[in-house]
C-alpha cells in the first residue's frame, strides 16, 4: 500500500513539473527551428552516378534573393529536354542532393530540373530558415533568373517535407508555377509543432501535457523570426491561388502525419489529388512505391500543361 502511495505521489509530481520542463525545452529548441543543423553532406558520388545513368548534365546556378542572400544550386538537363522545368525543394537540415531520386525519375521523362539549396541549408547563404515565409520570395527570384536565362515551356514544383511546404507557399505567390507535387507537407508551422512536441507519440500529447513546449518554441520563433508561425501555412496557400496540387503522405509517417495533407487537400481550391501510400514513413513514398510514384507524378504534371491562372511576368 505504501509503495502504491509513493508511486502515485511520484506520478502526480511528474505531472506537476512536466509542463515547466516542457516550457524550458520549448524555449531551448525554439532557436534550433530557425537555425537547423546541416546534417547531410553533399551526395556528390550519388549525384554523379545518377547523371551517368540518365545521361543528364548539371551546371551551377546561383541566384541573389531579394534580401541579398546567395542561393546556390544546379540546373540539370536531360539529353532530350521536353522544354518543361521542375523546381525541386528538399527537406529540413538537408540539401539539394536529398532530391536525387526524384530528379532521376523526372529526367527520364524529359524534364529539366532546378535543384537549389534552401536558405540556411547546404551551400546557400542566410542564417535563418523560415519554412516558406522568406523562401517563397526566394522562389520568385529563382524563377526570374530561370526565365531570363532559359526558354521555359511549363514550370512545375515538387517538394518533400519542409520542401513541400515551401513549394505550396511559393506557388501561391508565383503564378508561373503551374502545378505542385507536395509530399509530407505540414498544414501550418504552429500545427506541426504539436507533433514535434508530442515526440512522435501523437499531436494529442503536444496539445496537452507537452503543450508548453510548443508554445514556448513558437514564441521564440515569432520573436526572432519576425513572423507568426500560423502564417507559415501551406493550408492557406492553396486557398489563395487555385493551382493544381498532388498531395502525398505515408500511413506510417509519425513526423508529419497524414492529417496535415488532409487539411491542405480540404482547403485547396484548384484541381487536387490525394495519394496515401501504405506503409510509407516520413518522406519515404518514393522508396515505398517507386513505380507508382513515378507514374502518378509524371501523369499529374502531364494533366496541367496550361493553368489559366498562370501568366508570364
Amino acid at each position: 500500500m505504501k509503495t502504491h502511495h509513493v508511486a502515485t505521489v511520484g506520478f502526480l509530481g511528474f505531472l506537476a513539473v512536466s509542463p515547466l520542463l516542457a516550457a524550458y525545452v520549448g524555449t531551448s529548441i525554439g532557436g534550433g527551428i530557425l537555425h537547423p543543423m546541416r546534417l547531410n553532406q553533399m551526395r556528390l558520388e550519388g549525384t554523379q552516378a545518377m547523371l551517368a545513368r540518365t545521361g543528364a548534365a548539371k551546371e551551377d546556378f546561383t541566384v541573389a534573393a531579394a534580401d541579398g542572400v546567395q542561393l546556390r544550386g544546379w540546373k540539370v538537363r536531360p539529353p532530350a529536354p521536353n522544354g518543361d522545368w521542375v523546381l525541386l525543394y528538399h527537406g529540413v537540415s538537408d540539401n539539394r542532393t536529398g532530391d536525387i531520386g526524384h530528379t532521376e525519375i523526372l529526367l527520364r521523362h524529359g524534364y529539366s530540373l532546378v535543384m537549389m539549396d534552401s536558405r540556411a541549408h547546404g551551400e546557400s547563404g542566410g542564417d535563418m530558415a523560415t519554412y516558406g515565409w522568406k523562401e517563397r520570395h526566394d522562389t520568385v527570384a529563382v524563377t526570374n533568373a530561370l526565365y531570363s536565362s532559359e526558354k521555359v515551356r511549363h514550370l512545375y514544383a515538387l517538394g518533400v517535407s519542409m520542401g513541400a511546404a515551401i513549394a505550396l507557399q511559393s506557388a501561391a505567390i508565383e503564378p508561373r508555377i503551374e502545378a505542385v507535387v507536395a509530399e509530407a507537407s505540414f498544414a501550418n508551422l504552429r500545427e506541426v509543432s504539436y507533433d514535434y512536441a508530442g515526440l512522435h507519440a501523437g499531436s494529442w500529447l503536444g496539445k496537452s501535457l507537452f503543450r508548453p513546449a510548443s508554445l514556448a518554441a513558437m514564441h521564440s520563433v515569432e520573436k526572432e523570426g519576425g513572423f507568426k508561425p500560423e502564417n507559415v501555412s501551406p493550408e492557406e496557400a492553396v486557398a489563395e491561388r487555385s493551382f493544381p496540387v498532388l498531395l502525398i503522405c505515408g500511413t506510417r509517417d509519425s513526423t508529419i502525419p497524414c492529417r496535415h495533407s488532409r487539411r491542405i487537400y480540404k482547403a485547396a481550391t484548384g484541381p487536387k489529388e490525394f495519394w496515401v501510400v501504405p506503409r510509407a514513413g516520413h518522406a519515404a513514398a518514393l522508396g515505398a512505391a517507386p513505380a507508382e510514384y513515378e507514374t502518378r507524378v509524371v501523369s499529374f504534371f502531364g494533366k496541367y500543361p496550361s493553368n489559366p491562372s498562370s501568366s508570364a511576368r
Side-chain angles (χ1 to χ4, degrees):
M1 190 71 175
K2 184 177 180 180
T3 301
H4 176 73
H5 175 73
V6 171
T8 301
V9 171
F11 179 69
L12 292 175
F14 169 76
L15 290 179
V17 307
S18 59
L20 297 175
L21 178 61
Y24 172 76
V25 172
T27 302
S28 301
I29 67 174
I33 294 173
L34 294 174
H35 308 286
M37 296 176 64
R38 305 189 187 204
L39 296 178
N40 294 306
Q41 298 294 320
M42 296 285 283
R43 304 167 183 85
L44 297 179
E45 289 186 9
T47 300
Q48 287 303 128
M50 179 273 295
L51 294 174
R53 286 192 299 271
T54 58
K58 66 177 176 65
E59 64 182 83
D60 291 338
F61 189 37
T62 301
V63 177
D67 60 0
V69 167
Q70 293 295 299
L71 306 170
R72 294 182 171 83
W74 297 320
K75 293 178 185 175
V76 185
R77 308 170 199 271
N82 64 14
D84 297 344
W85 287 76
V86 181
L87 306 173
L88 292 181
Y89 298 84
H90 61 77
V92 68
S93 295
D94 207 343
N95 57 63
R96 73 193 88 154
T97 61
D99 291 328
I100 56 175
H102 303 81
T103 302
E104 183 164 355
I105 66 172
L106 291 167
L107 286 170
R108 288 202 296 262
H109 293 272
Y111 291 93
S112 300
L113 291 306
V114 175
M115 305 172 66
M116 305 299 291
D117 290 336
S118 187
R119 63 169 54 222
H121 288 78
E123 295 179 346
S124 286
D127 62 355
M128 184 184 300
T130 64
Y131 301 85
W133 186 250
K134 292 184 177 180
E135 290 84 355
R136 56 189 172 153
H137 298 291
D138 295 345
T139 292
V140 175
V142 169
T143 303
N144 285 338
L146 178 66
Y147 272 71
S148 69
S149 59
E150 304 288 345
K151 185 177 181 180
V152 181
R153 188 174 66 166
H154 301 293
L155 182 66
Y156 305 107
L158 184 153
V160 178
S161 193
M162 177 190 76
I166 294 173
L168 291 169
Q169 291 171 87
S170 295
I173 67 167
E174 177 45 85
R176 289 170 290 187
I177 297 176
E178 298 183 37
V180 177
V181 174
E183 178 186 347
S185 175
F186 57 79
N188 67 68
L189 195 56
R190 186 173 295 280
E191 180 66 21
V192 79
S193 73
Y194 298 130
D195 294 282
Y196 280 89
L199 304 176
H200 302 280
S203 61
W204 64 270
L205 188 59
K207 291 180 178 180
S208 56
L209 189 61
F210 294 153
R211 187 181 185 90
S214 170
L215 295 177
M218 293 299 97
H219 176 73
S220 295
V221 166
E222 182 172 348
K223 183 177 180 180
E224 183 180 356
F227 60 87
K228 292 184 179 297
E230 58 269 23
N231 290 341
V232 178
S233 179
E235 186 177 23
E236 292 184 359
V238 297
E240 290 173 5
R241 177 179 167 239
S242 58
F243 56 92
V245 294
L246 167 57
L247 298 161
I248 303 171
C249 69
T251 59
R252 293 183 179 174
D253 189 345
S254 60
T255 302
I256 304 179
C258 278
R259 84 172 189 285
H260 290 271
S261 291
R262 290 192 181 97
R263 285 178 55 154
I264 297 168
Y265 182 82
K266 183 178 180 180
T269 56
K272 52 189 177 181
E273 299 179 21
F274 190 22
W275 179 33
V276 179
V277 185
R279 299 177 296 281
H282 181 62
L286 178 57
E292 187 172 2
Y293 197 106
E294 180 171 351
T295 299
R296 283 181 179 267
V297 169
V298 172
S299 172
F300 175 74
F301 285 153
K303 291 177 186 176
Y304 302 106
S306 181
N307 184 1
S309 64
S310 158
S311 62
R313 291 182 180 178

